[in-house]
Amino acid sequence: MRKVAVTGIGVVSAIGLNREEFWQSLAAGRSGICPLEGIDPCRLRFRNAAQIRDFRPQDYFEERQASVMDRFSQLALAAARQAVADSNIEWSPELRRRTAVVMGCGVGGKETEEQSTHTFYGLASDRISPVAVVKGMPSASTSWIAMDQNLHGPAFTITTACASAAHAIGEAFWLVRGGRADLALAGGSEAPLTPCLLKAWESMRVISPDTCRPFCRRRSGMILGEGAGVLVLEPLDRAKARGAAIYAELAGFGMSSDAHHVTQPCPEWAGEAMRAALEDAGARPESVGYVNAHGTGTLANDPAESKAIRRVFGDHTSQVAVSSTKSMHGHTLGAAGAIEAAATALAISRSLIPPTANFQEPDPECDLNLVINSARPAEIECAISSSLAFGGLNAILVFRRAT
Amino acid sequence: MKSMSADTTQRVIKAIAKVRHVPPESISPDATFEELQIDSLDGIQILFELEGEFGIDIPDDQARLIRSVRQAAEGIEILLAAKQSSQSGAPS
């Protein structure tokens, strides 16, 4: 089987509109969480989100194109173009035919959907936009990336709530490793900061009234975010042959289903997904120096995830640095697995572990080797990016320093 | 504090019964949520029903303290009293 390299990274997030801005924020422990714009604060009980303030569609797309894309597709395509440019890939007709696009998306085109719903029910108007269907479909981002880059290989969207992008990257990785594709653009995007969906999250009572403090005793919930991340994946030998800059090897992918509860996490099966991913990578737990945790900052997730990490790493747990970058870019749901995979690959390549920001006080229930509030230099051999979705759908990616 | 009204307790029981899909008679005013096998997903639905039923907002930090029918009814009476006093403009 071929080894697979990450040779391009594109990120659009609340802490940076491109890979380098994103990384500089992570390295500085700078959070992008701030008061939400676009909804009447009187109608929402929480105030803050990781919202992208300075993304101007007209900087990326012609008006005509932007008008037929929901925000989640705009973010995805912007990230995909960055990733492709970053990889310096030279397209040939054969390579375009053999390139896959696999994206994750948790909630689809909510902006479009909520506007249509408002028109029909709120305004009692029968004039629903003729492009509501193609804007709203969760697979639209994949289609736009394929069309924009003229790519004809396997292309599909995976939706597994908060693990969508990790599943997408994992499946794309397997396509490239197994020779079904010679290159892949893989990642995820989400634009979930729409009024009805914000209210639905509010009703679930998992959103923090102030900020996201993963693994902290004073954590009070998650903070929603929007964004997109895309990785360019290609065979390691080909990447080397063309002299590409390689961030890391994507070495393993593992998944599991808790088959337990629609919201309560289950350490046993999250741990099993980690084990499966390490086995897929041929990596010993002792080779793992960093876990980019799912770390939502909810009361339920963080202790359960801590238990899962302990189950897998045993006595080595104290040697594994753990952080949750959601404390900075928020929980971007279907994009989270991609944005965090980008953070993990960058951590390996820059030999620096981004911290859990906003941390105040240790929690005995989250007894891990946490990197808190400032980044920690470290030579990392292997690193894990964890995604543990509602409904118990777990996806784990293992990255390794490229040699 | 005033003694709790039976009416509040009955309305709490009704909300729980609706979410749990059980007859209200099967729920004792002395029952804990654990005894009623109420999990976190039931919990958020019950809070939602109670907010609608009583026209109040139950903040997350207070919601987390509710572990029984009685605690729910007591908490609601406090929130109702606070709402009433703020509406009548009386000093709290």
Side-chain angles (χ1 to χ4, degrees), chain A residues 329-354:
Chain A
H329 51 65
H331 192 349
T332 58
L333 309 179
I339 290 174
E340 291 155 30
T344 309
L346 285 164
I348 291 178
S349 106
R350 309 281 170 100
S351 298
L352 188 71
I353 297 173

Side-chain angles (χ1 to χ4, degrees), chain A residues 45 202-207 209 219-221 261-264 299, chain B residues 39-41 43-44 47-48 51 56-61 63-64:
Chain A
R45 292 185 198 172
E202 174 193 286
S203 288
M204 273 200 87
R205 294 176 183 270
V206 289
I207 306 293
R219 70 186 179 279
S220 52
H261 191 275
V262 76
T263 56
Q264 286 299 310
L299 296 184
Chain B
D39 72 2
S40 57
L41 196 62
I44 54 176
L47 291 164
F48 184 76
E51 287 186 335
I56 52 174
D57 287 351
I58 305 173
D60 287 351
D61 49 354
R64 280 184 204 123

Side-chain angles (χ1 to χ4, degrees), chain B residues 15-52:
Chain B
I16 296 170
K18 182 180 171 189
V19 170
R20 292 286 295 158
H21 297 274
V22 297
E25 310 81 70
S26 70
I27 299 172
S28 154
D30 298 317
T32 66
F33 282 12
E34 196 180 348
E35 287 162 356
L36 296 171
Q37 295 181 304
I38 289 166
D39 72 2
S40 57
L41 196 62
D42 295 324
I44 54 176
Q45 294 178 83
I46 290 164
L47 291 164
F48 184 76
E49 289 299 324
L50 293 174
E51 287 186 335

Side-chain angles (χ1 to χ4, degrees), chain A residues 271-290:
Chain A
E272 281 305 306
M274 287 183 213
R275 281 205 188 98
L278 288 170
E279 193 182 318
D280 191 55
R284 292 170 301 111
E286 293 74 28
S287 67
V288 175
Y290 172 47

Side-chain angles (χ1 to χ4, degrees), chain A residues 86-153:
Chain A
D86 188 35
S87 72
N88 283 312
I89 197 84
E90 279 184 37
W91 295 113
S92 66
E94 176 62 10
L95 185 56
R96 290 186 196 278
R97 201 173 67 79
R98 300 270 306 157
T99 293
V101 182
V102 188
M103 292 293 285
C105 177
V107 301
K110 278 289 160 188
E111 189 179 54
T112 304
E113 189 185 300
E114 289 193 13
Q115 279 167 0
S116 299
T117 306
H118 173 67
T119 301
F120 188 80
Y121 294 105
L123 304 176
S125 162
D126 292 334
R127 293 184 53 76
I128 302 298
S129 164
V131 290
V133 170
V134 295
K135 285 174 78 173
M137 60 189 188
S139 54
S141 56
T142 298
S143 299
W144 281 110
I145 292 168
M147 287 186 284
D148 189 72
Q149 300 291 319
N150 200 13
L151 307 174
H152 299 284

